[in-house]
Amino acid sequence: MKKCPVCKLATDPVAHREWLPFCSDRCRLIDLGAWLNEHHRIPSDEDGPHPAKNEDDYTTH
Ligand SMILES: [Zn+2]
């Protein structure tokens, strides 16, 4: 039996199929929020160069 990675509740592959590997939409959102907080920190003072986009090349495709 697999467990919800958020609340450690046992998940059912049929009952919780919409939210697997989580047990519910709530846990899915909690995990998503934690992931976003951990990996998607907005760089506050990063001043790196942006990759140049060639608009001509873009439009000809
Ligand atoms: Zn859960």
Side-chain angles (χ1 to χ4, degrees):
M1 183 71 85
K2 292 191 175 181
K3 290 182 180 178
C4 172
V6 175
C7 68
K8 313 301 181 192
L9 197 81
T11 55
D12 185 279
V14 176
H16 304 122
R17 64 187 180 279
E18 284 186 61
W19 309 292
L20 287 174
F22 309 102
C23 71
S24 66
D25 195 45
R26 191 180 70 94
C27 284
R28 192 171 62 96
L29 290 173
I30 288 170
D31 189 75
L32 183 69
W35 188 88
L36 289 174
N37 283 333
E38 192 175 339
H39 297 280
H40 282 245
R41 291 198 199 96
I42 298 165
S44 54
D45 56 358
E46 188 174 310
D47 202 26
H50 291 269
K53 274 188 179 175
N54 191 326
E55 284 187 24
D56 288 335
D57 187 56
Y58 193 77
T59 49
T60 47
H61 280 287

